[in-house]
Amino acid sequence: MSGSKQRPSILDKSLSRGKTEVSATAFALLFSEMVQYSHNRVQSVADLHQKLSELGQHVGVRMVELLFVRERNYKRETKLLSTLLFVKGTMWKSLFGKEADKLDRATDDERIFYLIEKEPLVNRFVSVPRDKSSINCAAFVAGIIEATLTSTGFPAKVTALWHKGTTFMIKFDDTVMTRDKQLEGR
Amino acid sequence: MSRQGVRPADSKKVSGELFTLTYGALVAQLLKDYENVDDVNRQLERMGYNIGVRLIEDFLARANPGRCYDLRDTADKIQQAFKLYLGITPSIGSWNPGGDEFSVVLETNPMAEFVELPEHCLGLRYSNILAGIIRGACEMVQMEVMAWFIADQLKGDNVTEIRIKFVKRLEDAIPAGED
């Protein structure tokens, strides 16, 4: 194609209202190709999780931009709990059409939170091979959460576990806890 | 905390934005993994082919489209499939005189929402996965076709246009050793 044509700038387009939907089959097949592609390029389950998480992070940072502009009137969250509720509510609703099932705090470690989703969309179509039962394609969603938290100023590590369905373990940086305590009571 | 959504979770549909961004993540990963855009184009086409091969099963089961008796039938079914899977209705047109080549024209491209091609990626056929899907799906119903992009909104064209050419009918091969 000729380079002389004026390419449209993305900023000239109005922001999508997020009402479009595609068939679940289309998403499932696309996601499956992504998992297979990643699977072919890694040696271990941990590497696969890492790859899927990176792909998810790509989605996460963009969702943050989109949602805070569209749904939150440009206002970011500053409190830890509000940010987690943003992920559980607003973010989950626009991605998966519902809120996440449950948000829990670990009793033994104040830096750790659990976000529980019994049946995540990405696992609905995946059968886990018996010899690699630790594979969890929800690592992709873990990546989305991780990017969301990290890019809103709450650096965290998020992993997907098999526990009560799928559970995302969110472990915040120490700095986050210290700052949140300072903010408390203000 | 209760489990209420703005809309009921429809298990047959997913958010278009999740789909678009997921595809974007894939393309970005391929650009990182391969040295040049031609390889990325090829890889996207190959992945599309794999998807098409599986998608056709779903399409035949769900839409019950029946047999295609000519290429115009096929074009209609492709239009129907776009509606079913991506929620858009492309227009079909620009038939060649021989009647074995036509265009699928997309006014909006759900794959390419939020996308802007950087200068050094102008050779990238961003939505090339669609061409692969069409080829793979048609092959499973004994039609060899070629599909390629001739216009792309990402490159400043008014519409996105996929050209499809019928190559030949695939005959059922006799299984080896049974002649």
Side-chain angles (χ1 to χ4, degrees):
Chain A
M1 307 239 167
S2 72
S4 60
K5 263 180 279 186
Q6 183 64 48
R7 284 186 300 128
S9 159
I10 194 146
L11 297 175
D12 294 333
K13 292 208 300 185
S14 52
L15 191 64
S16 101
R17 281 177 301 141
K19 297 282 182 255
T20 56
E21 286 186 326
V22 299
S23 129
T25 311
F27 177 76
L29 289 172
L30 173 66
F31 186 69
S32 143
E33 275 305 308
M34 262 171 58
V35 173
Q36 286 179 52
Y37 171 79
S38 311
H39 192 239
N40 287 338
R41 298 177 74 95
V42 296
Q43 303 293 326
S44 69
V45 172
D47 286 352
L48 176 63
H49 286 165
Q50 180 58 32
K51 271 251 179 243
L52 289 175
S53 167
E54 279 166 25
L55 288 164
Q57 288 175 28
H58 184 100
V59 176
V61 283
R62 284 158 182 80
M63 274 320 273
V64 167
E65 302 286 339
L66 183 63
L67 290 179
F68 277 107
V69 169
R70 189 170 60 202
E71 322 249 332
R72 287 301 177 92
N73 209 9
Y74 305 92
K75 282 206 187 70
R76 295 280 177 109
E77 300 290 351
T78 51
K79 298 258 173 68
L80 180 68
L81 199 59
S82 336
T83 304
L84 282 169
L85 288 175
F86 167 78
V87 172
K88 177 181 185 277
T90 312
M91 171 81 78
W92 225 259
K93 264 189 226 162
S94 14
L95 287 176
F96 309 116
K98 63 184 269 297
E99 281 200 12
D101 291 332
K102 208 165 171 225
L103 178 66
D104 264 346
R105 183 166 206 169
T107 42
D108 50 344
D109 188 337
E110 60 164 13
R111 289 170 302 168
I112 295 181
F113 288 81
Y114 298 103
L115 191 65
I116 298 167
E117 174 68 49
K118 286 198 186 65
E119 205 195 349
L121 174 69
V122 290
N123 277 353
R124 201 188 295 158
F125 316 97
V126 178
S127 54
V128 179
R130 213 168 284 159
D131 56 325
K132 286 182 184 158
S133 62
S134 59
I135 289 186
N136 195 336
C137 293
F140 177 73
V141 181
I144 297 180
I145 304 174
E146 187 170 311
T148 306
L149 296 172
T150 304
S151 63
T152 44
F154 296 87
K157 187 85 204 130
V158 182
T159 29
L161 312 166
W162 290 111
H163 176 71
K164 297 184 188 168
T166 293
T167 296
F168 300 98
M169 185 177 83
I170 303 168
K171 187 172 183 186
F172 285 102
D173 244 33
D174 289 329
T175 52
V176 175
M177 307 317 292
T178 325
R179 189 188 55 202
D180 206 54
K181 284 216 181 78
Q182 286 170 350
L183 277 175
E184 240 167 65
R186 262 196 221 175
Chain B
M1 287 170 215
S2 66
R3 200 176 155 178
Q4 42 185 235
V6 273
R7 53 176 181 239
D10 181 349
S11 61
K12 299 267 165 45
K13 295 267 188 225
V14 299
S15 142
E17 284 174 352
L18 175 64
F19 179 76
T20 306
L21 289 174
T22 304
Y23 183 64
L26 174 68
V27 177
Q29 184 64 45
L30 293 178
L31 282 169
K32 239 185 267 170
D33 290 346
Y34 290 92
E35 305 256 306
N36 65 65
V37 288
D38 292 333
D39 288 340
V40 176
N41 291 338
R42 253 194 301 282
Q43 177 65 23
L44 282 173
E45 211 271 348
R46 197 177 313 143
M47 291 174 126
Y49 174 84
N50 295 341
I51 292 176
V53 165
R54 298 171 67 192
L55 189 75
I56 189 75
E57 304 272 350
D58 186 85
F59 181 63
L60 294 177
R62 195 177 307 201
N64 194 16
R67 240 171 205 296
C68 296
Y69 291 98
D70 59 22
L71 198 63
R72 286 183 189 264
D73 265 355
T74 311
D76 286 345
K77 310 273 146 93
I78 289 177
Q79 188 182 35
Q80 195 185 345
F82 267 96
K83 175 91 189 93
L84 185 63
Y85 292 107
L86 294 180
I88 50 166
T89 310
S91 51
I92 304 286
S94 311
W95 287 87
N96 70 340
D100 64 347
E101 218 182 292
F102 63 95
S103 286
V104 176
V105 179
L106 314 177
E107 296 282 338
T108 55
N109 180 1
M111 316 296 289
E113 181 97 6
F114 307 128
V115 178
E116 192 171 34
L117 287 185
E119 263 334 295
H120 65 279
C121 287
L122 289 182
L124 178 68
R125 291 197 289 274
Y126 186 84
S127 312
N128 217 24
I129 200 160
L130 291 177
I133 292 175
I134 293 171
R135 184 170 70 89
C138 286
E139 194 173 303
M140 289 295 113
V141 287
Q142 272 98 38
M143 288 174 58
E144 187 178 325
V145 301
M146 290 195 301
W148 69 98
F149 280 81
I150 57 172
D152 191 339
Q153 281 155 325
L154 288 179
K155 295 177 182 167
D157 298 310
N158 287 329
V159 291
T160 297
E161 183 169 352
I162 310 170
R163 195 77 183 150
I164 296 171
K165 183 182 169 57
F166 176 77
V167 180
K168 66 168 194 247
R169 229 190 147 79
L170 299 164
E171 298 298 334
D172 282 333
I174 302 162
E178 281 190 30
D179 49 338

